Amino acid sequence: METESGISSRKWRFKGNEISMRSSALTVRSALNMLMGNLDPNDQRPSIQLGHGDPSAFPSFRTAPEAEIAICDALLSAEYNGYSPNIGRLHARKAVAEHLSHDLPYKLSPDDVFLTSGCTHAIEIILDVLACPSANILLPKPCYPYYEARAIASNIQFRYFDLLPERDWEVDLGAVEALADQTTVAMIITNPGNPCGNVYKFEHLKKVAETARKLGILVISDEVYYHLTFGSNPFVPMGVFGSIAPVITLGSISKRWVVPGWRLGWIVTNDPNNLLKKYGIVDSIIGFLNVSAEPTSFIQGALTQIFEKTKVDFFTKINDLLRENADFCFSKIKEIPGMTCPSKPEGALFAMVRLNLSVLENIEDDVDFCLKLAKEESVIVLPGATLGVKNWIRVTFAIEPSSLHDGINRIKVFCENHSKK
Ligand SMILES: *Cc1c(COP(=O)(O)O)cnc(C)c1O
């Protein structure tokens, strides 16, 4: 028998795949953990979290009681203790098809719907599907960072096009045309937007579809914030334009029902011309789902009831709260030296704020701003570096209003303390 020290000094052949390190360093969680590590333990005040995207812990954001009851009913029925098909149970796929068809000029079929463990899993699957050798996808900048993290993990190349802050974060379609070439297969948009809080107009989405058609690429529309809108533009699903260019919609119940821990999402093909079948995309989605784990069965079992029984009041209450918080944020930020918010958020949970470092003292860049804000005022916001843009920050306004007021006031004090005299 070899001794213990003999075993540890022996050369072993295995080693962890380092791609995971590059990939996971890019996520929101990793940035927030770094900032949390910079909080001052001697500050007696509670820290204020304006960096996250999960308001479920706040009393004002508790999910609808009908949704909780639906889960209990499904669980107690004893019908959901077994495995589900990898693409999801038929009745649950039918429920999603009917639910999303309300907003479309045509009817989705359950065959257009594939269930996933949240929208995160939907992104993972779709990037795997598109990751043919030498293929590339076009990502918006700023971008929800999971796309880049996952693209690296899935080994698909990516290029960035700009969103235009002075035009309510519309896609720079000229840049999309300039970036795309023979190897480009898809472009990604998020609407309502994370991190920008944009809600795109019908006309703009139509132009996105026309550009995709011209380039021969498909549109992936991340609509995880569907119907979380509180401005003048209503939510228009990209699927409305599925006959101009094929559209794949990604979504989940995570944000609209404020239950991201329930892990129920979907991939939906909006493609009246059946191009996604013809080009093997549908088979590839099914193929990758067949080598992945399906979402929890009793969440699938509860889905019909969740969609049918949740009262309109619940959605109205959440959107009213988000509107009030977004208005507060937007008007207060105007008074803070060194900060501007070029476009008022109209959807989702976030405002993008530009930093003007020339009027602030002792701040190097957005990351330095966030680190010092954590240390001096115990407030966490997300640095633009995590979203691909320098000297911006993302402020989440989906928290209790009293904490939001406290947090924004502390940011104001911080910027005043750092103002050039
Ligand atoms: C939160 C979020 C997701 C992930 O959604 P889950 O359903 O919680 O996995 C995907 N895309 C965007 C833009 C998000 O903000």
Side-chain angles (χ1 to χ4, degrees):
M1 264 252 296
E2 246 184 301
T3 62
E4 192 137 347
S5 68
I7 286 179
S8 35
S9 60
R10 187 199 189 292
K11 196 102 181 87
W12 298 93
R13 291 181 201 283
F14 46 79
K15 109 187 212 310
N17 182 345
E18 282 157 15
I19 288 177
S20 64
M21 298 301 137
R22 271 180 61 210
S23 187
S24 70
L26 296 167
T27 61
V28 172
R29 269 185 211 180
S30 119
L32 295 181
N33 287 341
M34 182 231 354
L35 294 171
M36 298 288 284
N38 221 42
L39 288 172
D40 178 1
N42 297 319
D43 190 341
Q44 302 296 312
R45 301 171 295 177
S47 67
I48 297 187
Q49 308 293 328
L50 305 178
H52 64 92
D54 176 3
S56 60
F58 301 107
S60 301
F61 287 90
R62 176 154 175 188
T63 194
E66 298 81 16
E68 293 172 347
I69 292 166
I71 298 285
C72 296
D73 287 352
L75 189 66
L76 294 172
S77 73
E79 281 173 39
Y80 299 101
N81 294 336
Y83 289 117
S84 304
N86 286 76
I87 60 169
R89 296 192 179 217
L90 179 60
H91 68 84
R93 285 163 44 230
K94 188 161 166 273
V96 173
E98 283 172 7
H99 174 63
L100 297 179
S101 292
H102 292 309
D103 298 322
L104 294 169
Y106 53 88
K107 277 216 150 329
L108 293 167
S109 110
D111 292 338
D112 295 315
V113 177
F114 307 91
L115 299 185
T116 56
S117 299
C119 190
T120 304
H121 186 212
I123 296 170
E124 174 185 335
I125 294 290
I126 209 65
L127 294 194
D128 280 345
V129 164
L130 297 175
C132 297
S134 86
N136 68 72
I137 54 172
L138 308 182
L139 300 177
K141 185 195 263 206
C143 189
Y144 175 59
Y146 186 69
Y147 281 96
E148 181 173 332
R150 190 62 229 179
I152 291 171
S154 295
N155 201 18
I156 181 165
Q157 293 169 44
F158 50 90
R159 302 169 182 177
Y160 284 106
F161 58 84
D162 283 334
L163 303 181
L164 305 167
E166 270 68 35
R167 287 179 41 192
D168 292 331
W169 298 105
E170 284 187 354
V171 175
D172 182 348
L173 290 168
V176 168
E177 286 196 37
L179 270 177
D181 63 21
Q182 303 298 320
T183 57
T184 305
V185 296
M187 66 181 286
I188 288 162
I189 60 168
T190 65
N191 183 49
N194 177 6
C196 301
N198 55 276
V199 178
Y200 290 143
K201 290 188 165 68
F202 183 95
E203 279 309 318
H204 183 62
L205 293 171
K206 190 168 176 214
K207 283 187 198 144
V208 168
E210 285 162 355
T211 304
R213 182 189 189 113
K214 191 163 156 191
L215 299 170
I217 66 179
L218 68 88
V219 181
I220 313 279
S221 188
D222 182 327
E223 297 177 1
V224 78
Y225 296 99
Y226 74 127
H227 289 291
L228 284 178
T229 58
F230 37 83
S232 50
N233 296 340
F235 166 67
V236 177
M238 189 67 207
V240 164
F241 307 100
S243 53
I244 300 178
V247 172
I248 294 182
T249 306
L250 312 181
S252 76
I253 61 170
S254 300
K255 309 291 164 69
R256 196 174 178 205
W257 272 268
V258 209
V259 290
W262 290 7
R263 312 311 300 133
L264 194 288
W266 50 78
I267 298 172
V268 172
T269 54
N270 298 266
D271 178 32
N273 301 314
N274 275 318
L275 294 165
L276 296 171
K277 258 197 199 83
K278 186 170 162 197
Y279 282 84
I281 298 287
V282 170
D283 283 342
S284 184
I285 292 172
I286 296 170
F288 277 109
L289 285 173
N290 281 341
V291 290
S292 189
E294 72 277 14
T296 303
S297 58
F298 56 85
I299 313 289
Q300 297 188 46
L303 211 49
T304 309
Q305 259 196 62
I306 292 175
F307 290 152
E308 286 176 1
K309 294 275 166 72
T310 304
K311 300 207 171 73
V312 177
D313 294 2
F314 169 73
F315 303 119
T316 315
K317 188 192 87 184
I318 297 283
N319 281 2
D320 286 348
L321 180 58
L322 291 174
R323 181 184 304 108
E324 274 168 35
N325 280 2
D327 285 353
F328 176 83
C329 235
F330 187 74
S331 62
K332 277 289 169 193
I333 282 167
K334 276 196 193 141
E335 301 167 4
I336 302 181
M339 286 192 153
T340 44
C341 183
S343 170
K344 188 172 173 179
E346 298 221 316
L349 318 175
F350 317 97
M352 280 297 278
V353 177
R354 188 189 264 137
L355 301 178
N356 178 2
L357 297 181
S358 70
V359 304
L360 298 177
E361 219 159 37
N362 232 334
I363 306 279
E364 254 170 58
D365 57 16
D366 52 303
V367 176
D368 193 37
F369 181 96
C370 294
L371 284 167
K372 288 181 173 146
L373 181 66
K375 179 148 229 105
E376 294 171 25
E377 295 295 334
S378 302
V379 174
I380 304 285
V381 297
L382 193 70
T386 307
L387 309 158
V389 287
K390 201 173 160 67
N391 296 341
W392 289 78
I393 56 168
R394 188 193 75 173
V395 178
T396 305
F397 48 77
I399 68 169
E400 285 307 319
S402 57
S403 305
L404 181 68
H405 298 181
D406 192 1
I408 301 287
N409 279 329
R410 290 193 208 174
I411 295 176
K412 188 170 180 206
V413 168
F414 175 82
C415 288
E416 285 167 353
N417 287 343
H418 284 268
S419 281
K420 283 194 178 147
K421 303 295 171 311

